[in-house]
Amino acid sequence: MLDQSTSVVRNISKGLTRVNTIQSVRLGDGARIIANRIVVDKETPIRWEITVTDPHYCPISVEQLPLEPLGERTRKHYLTRELFECAEAVGFIDWKQLPIGVRKSFMRVNGEVKKVHLSEYEAPDPTDYPLE
């Protein structure tokens, strides 16, 4: 199963399928695709619901992207492989986990203590859901 899932998702790592929200930023224009994981039960493959935004997180209409059929009113739920293929076709390649918040902290830099903001991430879901 691991070999198959690795070949299916290519650059969406197995670890990223264990978190609820992932994103990819398109290099050309800074647009973002944000994918929210949908889990039904342990036997049902993971699905993803997407939102595409400009660099300032303003939504981009579906009509501007060849991801979903024009005029479709309900959002499509993509299998992991479908998400990767559709996103890659319009330039979204490098996937990362989306932070869930920011935490203030302190860090020593060149002998001085500085205030920093650290991104917080959710813990991965340990359940092995099927990807296909």
Side-chain angles (χ1 to χ4, degrees):
M1 178 69 182
L2 183 59
D3 291 339
Q4 179 187 9
S5 66
T6 302
S7 66
V8 168
V9 298
R10 293 188 356 209
N11 74 348
I12 299 176
S13 73
K14 178 81 169 166
L16 288 179
T17 64
R18 295 181 180 277
V19 297
N20 288 324
T21 309
I22 59 176
Q23 75 170 349
S24 177
V25 177
R26 188 165 51 195
L27 293 178
D29 60 1
R32 297 174 188 276
I33 184 169
I34 300 169
N36 293 302
R37 185 176 74 147
I38 299 169
V39 174
V40 176
D41 58 43
K42 290 182 181 181
E43 288 76 39
T44 305
I46 294 171
R47 303 265 181 186
W48 300 90
E49 183 176 75
I50 64 165
T51 303
V52 182
T53 70
D54 67 15
H56 305 290
Y57 291 98
C58 295
I60 295 175
S61 68
V62 174
E63 289 79 16
Q64 295 178 21
L65 295 166
L67 292 174
E68 298 179 10
L70 292 177
E72 188 171 294
R73 298 216 183 268
T74 59
R75 289 186 169 178
K76 179 175 178 171
H77 293 171
Y78 295 86
L79 290 169
T80 303
R81 175 186 46 77
E82 293 172 329
L83 170 64
F84 170 77
E85 290 170 355
C86 291
E88 184 181 42
V90 291
F92 296 102
I93 296 169
D94 188 26
W95 290 91
K96 293 182 175 33
Q97 182 178 3
L98 192 66
I100 58 170
V102 176
R103 179 173 45 97
K104 292 180 184 177
S105 187
F106 296 93
M107 180 179 271
R108 184 176 298 273
V109 178
N110 296 329
E112 291 184 40
V113 176
K114 301 218 179 209
K115 241 186 230 184
V116 294
H117 293 165
L118 300 174
S119 297
E120 290 185 311
Y121 296 91
E122 69 180 306
D125 180 350
T127 310
D128 280 325
Y129 300 103
L131 296 179
E132 295 293 324

